Each structure stands twice: as structure tokens, then as C-alpha cells.
Amino acid sequence: MPRADRADVRETDDASTLILSAGGVHVVMIRRRYDGGWGDTDEVINSAGEVATGAVSSWTLIGSVLTLELGRSAAARLGFPRDYRVRLDLTSEAFSLARSSLLEILHTECFVVDTPEGRVTS
């Protein structure tokens, strides 16, 4: 299982991106592109820069494990298993940032997330 020891968020007028990395190398990026007229689109980007649009059908963040359930074609494009898991070895501040960003970016997908207040589901 890949692991991430750093989480960065980049916000622009047209996108929000969560970058998970380890040792200075991107593990995975998860982005929501905002397009007011046509609707928003989520993307998953692997470390080689391959992009899969609408890739995530559901996701969980339970304990320190992020699981993305990917569509078959998205998983093949990214070179990931359909049940892609990343261990988040983050500081509590970075973990909170990653959790908030995931809820913003993937809020339209089915999810289960552990929060300090308890488990939240879509």
C-alpha cells in the first residue's frame, strides 16, 4: 500500500487540488475542476501525470487509510487497482487539511469518513 507523508492543497478560481506525496514525490493528486455552465468534474492524477476524469465512484477515509473505488477504465489508465488505498502518515494538521479537501473535492461521490465528531456518510 502506498503511503503519503505530506498533504498540500492548491486552490484556484477553477480548481481545488489535494496533492498527497511521500519523500517529495507525488503519490496521487485528486482535483475538482469547477465549470459553472457544464458542471464540476473530479479527476485523479497518478505520479506519471496520467489523468482519469470521473474516476472515483466512492471513497472512504477510515483511520489513516484513504480508499478510492475507481472505475475499471480509470484504474487501467492510472495503473492503479480498482480499490486504490493510500496510508496517510500525516501530522494531525495535515490530516485535517486532507480530510477537509477530500470532502470538498469528492463531496458528490458516496463516502464514509471518520471525523473527530464521529463517522460521516453521504
Side-chain angles (χ1 to χ4, degrees):
M1 172 183 329
R3 73 181 254 306
D5 60 15
R6 183 176 171 101
D8 295 301
V9 174
R10 296 199 181 130
E11 302 274 345
T12 64
D13 289 341
D14 62 348
S16 179
T17 307
L18 171 63
I19 303 163
L20 298 173
S21 56
V25 177
H26 291 172
V27 173
V28 65
M29 291 190 285
I30 304 164
R31 175 171 50 206
R32 172 150 312 263
R33 289 194 179 275
Y34 305 112
D35 182 10
W38 299 98
D40 299 343
T41 304
D42 66 87
E43 300 173 327
V44 176
I45 304 142
N46 68 12
S47 60
E50 290 290 331
V51 178
T53 302
V56 179
S57 56
S58 66
W59 63 281
T60 63
L61 181 57
I62 298 174
S64 63
V65 177
L66 170 63
T67 303
L68 303 175
E69 183 179 320
L70 304 171
R72 183 168 286 132
S73 62
R77 179 176 185 94
L78 297 167
F80 291 167
R82 290 199 59 205
D83 187 24
Y84 181 68
R85 296 171 189 233
V86 179
R87 176 170 300 285
L88 303 182
D89 294 331
L90 305 171
T91 65
S92 59
E93 182 178 304
F95 191 87
S96 179
L97 176 71
R99 181 178 53 233
S100 295
S101 183
L102 285 163
L103 286 166
E104 178 181 337
I105 293 169
L106 297 174
H107 68 276
T108 59
E109 311 308 331
C110 295
F111 64 85
V112 176
V113 178
D114 282 341
T115 70
E117 295 79 27
R119 191 161 280 180
V120 177
T121 61
S122 60

